[in-house]
Amino acid sequence: MNVRPSPEWVVHERVAQPEDLDPLLLRPTGRTDRLQVVVEHYVVGAGRCPGCGWPVARREECPSRQVAVCLLENRPLPVRLAHLVDVVPGARVGRDSAADREERRQAEDALPGLFEAPARAPERNTQ
């Protein structure tokens, strides 16, 4: 027996759109701006994000905070935010090749920051 809930009982999960993200994330940013987004979108408990007003049950659910943490930790975006990869500079989905990583590093090193970026050594193959 295939039983589906009545349509009026189905709660549709809100999908984050580019306009829901912090404007700092929609342009190339350095670590300082990304940390600022993480701090401004910190939610202590359930409720609404103080930075963007996004309804959250846990602090990890604010899309701006999730994107900023992924950029800071050089991780791919979570599946529920993967559709924003073309909008957020530096965001990625899945694994990068060595050439992609080198290109991204050069772009990040060119961004203005508090300190000059140190010279990078070429990536070594450890296999």
Side-chain angles (χ1 to χ4, degrees):
M1 185 169 157
N2 189 359
V3 178
R4 291 187 311 179
S6 178
E8 62 266 10
W9 289 99
V10 176
V11 178
H12 298 284
E13 186 174 331
R14 185 174 166 198
V15 178
Q17 298 301 318
E19 56 272 6
D20 295 325
L21 294 177
D22 192 297
L24 284 175
L25 298 173
L26 300 178
R27 60 179 173 80
T29 57
R31 292 187 60 82
T32 306
D33 291 333
R34 294 172 186 170
L35 282 169
Q36 180 181 347
V37 171
V38 170
V39 170
E40 288 178 355
H41 292 267
Y42 181 79
V43 179
V44 176
R48 293 199 171 270
C49 173
C52 62
W54 186 270
V56 294
R58 299 183 320 267
R59 70 174 171 209
E60 293 85 20
E61 292 182 356
C62 171
S64 293
R65 182 179 168 83
Q66 278 191 317
V67 169
V69 168
C70 287
L71 291 172
L72 282 168
E73 296 178 353
N74 197 21
R75 292 186 309 179
L77 292 179
V79 174
R80 70 183 199 97
L81 299 174
H83 62 283
L84 299 171
V85 74
D86 295 329
V87 180
V88 179
R92 62 186 179 88
V93 179
R95 297 191 50 88
D96 289 340
S97 68
D100 292 337
R101 288 192 301 270
E102 184 62 31
E103 182 181 326
R104 186 184 67 249
R105 285 184 189 126
Q106 288 186 0
E108 287 176 351
D109 287 348
L111 291 172
L114 296 175
F115 307 102
E116 185 176 329
R120 293 187 189 262
E123 197 171 298
R124 289 184 293 181
N125 195 358
T126 59
Q127 295 177 352

